[in-house]
């Protein structure tokens, strides 16, 4: 605690760029105005220093153990995707757009690639918002209904969308589109490598983009390679 007490916000973020999200969430400038003692700025802004310190200490914690996704029931897998990956996207998108807008506004005149990255970040966030809503209101509820029908031995009504392959094909296309946009961001950002002279907000943007990409690839893997194929098999079993 004493070590962190003596450090500035900028020093803490420079040592571990992941801490930028914590300061941003608490309204503490870690970039141009980051050369201030962390405890003093918490007092000035009315931020609970002890709570902030706990978040800083736990920033690198691994919270998810290895999971045997392939053997989970499909309704449980739907809930896991919603509560883990959809939740992450919704929360991370807020910071991602704030970082992307700021870096494009401040550094776009010198680094033209961040203008393109900002456009792509907005495109991805908007596409995922619509995409996840369709999954949560149409596709996942039908998958859960199929699981329930099989467990309880009851007849399953044919869905309004005809066959589950129709929304699945749409979801997979949207996965491909978002994946393409993320690959373009990786190219523009030199695989999320900020310039040597980059400020902390610039570094935080690239770190967040890489984290976002890694989560989304796992998210898409669970759907494309496990949930969707098994859901189509289950529908064929129930409806023929």
């Amino acid at each position: 605690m004493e070590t962190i007490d003596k450090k500035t916000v900028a020093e803490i973020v420079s040592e571990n760029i992941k801490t930028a999200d914590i300061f941003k969430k608490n309204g503490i400038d870690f970039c141009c105005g980051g050369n201030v003692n962390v405890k003093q700025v918490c007092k000035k802004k009315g931020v609970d220093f002890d709570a902030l310190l706990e978040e800083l200490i736990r920033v690198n914690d691994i919270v998810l153990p290895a999971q045997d996704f392939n053997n989970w029931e499909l309704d449980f897998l739907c809930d896991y995707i919603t509560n883990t990956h959809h939740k992450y996207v919704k929360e991370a998108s807020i910071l991602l757009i704030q970082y992307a807008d700021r870096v494009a506004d401040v550094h776009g005149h010198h680094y033209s690639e961040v203008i393109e990255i900002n456009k792509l970040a907005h495109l991805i966030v908007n596409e995922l918002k619509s995409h996840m809503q369709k999954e949560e209101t149409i596709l996942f509820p039908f998958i859960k209904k199929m699981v329930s029908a099989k467990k309880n031995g009851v007849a399953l009504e044919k869905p309004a969308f005809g066959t589950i392959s129709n929304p699945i094909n749409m979801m997979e296309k949207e996965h491909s589109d978002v994946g393409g946009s993320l690959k373009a961001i990786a190219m523009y950002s030199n695989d999320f490598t900020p310039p040597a002279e980059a400020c902390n907000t610039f570094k935080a943007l690239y770190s967040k983009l890489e984290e976002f990409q890694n989560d989304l690839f796992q998210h898409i893997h669970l759907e494309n390679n496990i949930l969707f194929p098994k859901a189509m098999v289950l529908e064929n079993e129930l409806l023929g």
Side-chain angles (χ1 to χ4, degrees):
M1 181 184 295
E2 291 182 0
T3 302
I4 290 181
D5 279 354
K6 296 177 181 177
K7 291 182 177 179
T8 66
V9 173
E11 286 172 339
I12 295 169
V13 174
S14 294
E15 291 173 4
N16 188 343
I17 196 63
K18 291 182 180 180
T19 61
D21 290 353
I22 296 171
F23 288 118
K24 180 71 173 177
K25 183 179 66 175
N26 284 281
I28 296 174
D29 184 358
F30 59 84
C31 191
C32 300
N35 192 29
V36 290
N37 177 271
V38 62
K39 194 166 188 177
Q40 291 175 356
V41 76
C42 282
K43 183 177 181 180
K44 181 179 179 180
K45 288 186 169 289
V47 174
D48 186 331
F49 173 72
D50 291 331
L52 182 78
L53 178 62
E54 182 66 21
E55 285 193 84
L56 293 173
I57 291 171
R58 292 170 42 234
V59 71
N60 287 319
D61 285 358
I62 299 173
V63 297
L64 294 176
Q67 304 285 8
D68 188 11
F69 301 111
N70 201 43
N71 287 319
W72 285 0
E73 294 287 349
L74 297 189
D75 52 352
F76 188 81
L77 184 55
C78 285
D79 286 339
Y80 174 83
I81 291 169
T82 299
N83 295 327
T84 301
H85 295 292
H86 286 195
K87 182 174 183 288
Y88 169 81
V89 169
K90 291 170 186 176
E91 293 178 351
S93 293
I94 298 171
L95 280 175
L96 181 62
I97 292 303
Q98 289 176 350
Y99 289 152
D101 285 347
R102 178 67 175 167
V103 172
D105 183 54
V106 175
H107 301 287
H109 66 286
H110 188 63
Y111 299 97
S112 60
E113 64 270 20
V114 299
I115 300 294
E116 298 305 318
I117 288 172
N118 188 36
K119 292 177 184 176
L120 288 165
H122 278 269
L123 178 64
I124 289 168
V125 166
N126 289 332
E127 287 182 346
L128 285 175
K129 182 178 180 180
S130 171
H131 175 87
M132 293 187 301
Q133 184 178 22
K134 284 180 281 191
E135 289 186 336
E136 292 176 17
T137 60
I138 299 172
L139 182 56
F140 289 2
F142 180 67
I143 292 174
K144 292 182 179 182
K145 188 179 291 186
M146 289 197 300
V147 172
S148 178
K150 181 177 179 179
K151 285 180 179 178
N152 297 312
V154 300
L156 179 72
E157 292 184 18
K158 193 169 184 178
F161 45 72
T163 173
I164 199 171
S165 63
N166 290 327
I168 283 177
N169 287 339
M170 180 185 296
M171 295 302 99
E172 289 182 338
K173 181 185 182 304
E174 292 175 0
H175 286 166
S176 179
D177 291 343
V178 170
S181 295
L182 279 168
K183 288 177 182 177
I185 286 178
M187 179 198 66
Y188 281 121
S189 65
N190 190 26
D191 286 328
F192 313 106
T193 306
E197 66 277 14
C199 67
N200 278 336
T201 302
F202 207 137
K203 293 176 183 177
L205 170 62
Y206 279 22
S207 174
K208 199 67 178 174
L209 284 166
E210 185 172 22
E211 175 190 281
F212 196 92
Q213 175 193 259
N214 292 341
D215 178 85
L216 193 63
F217 284 172
Q218 170 72 354
H219 176 177
I220 291 173
H221 161 70
L222 292 178
E223 292 184 355
N224 282 11
N225 300 326
I226 299 177
L227 180 65
F228 294 168
K230 289 189 174 186
M232 289 190 286
V233 169
L234 181 57
E235 183 193 52
N236 187 60
E237 179 184 334
L238 294 171
L239 295 178

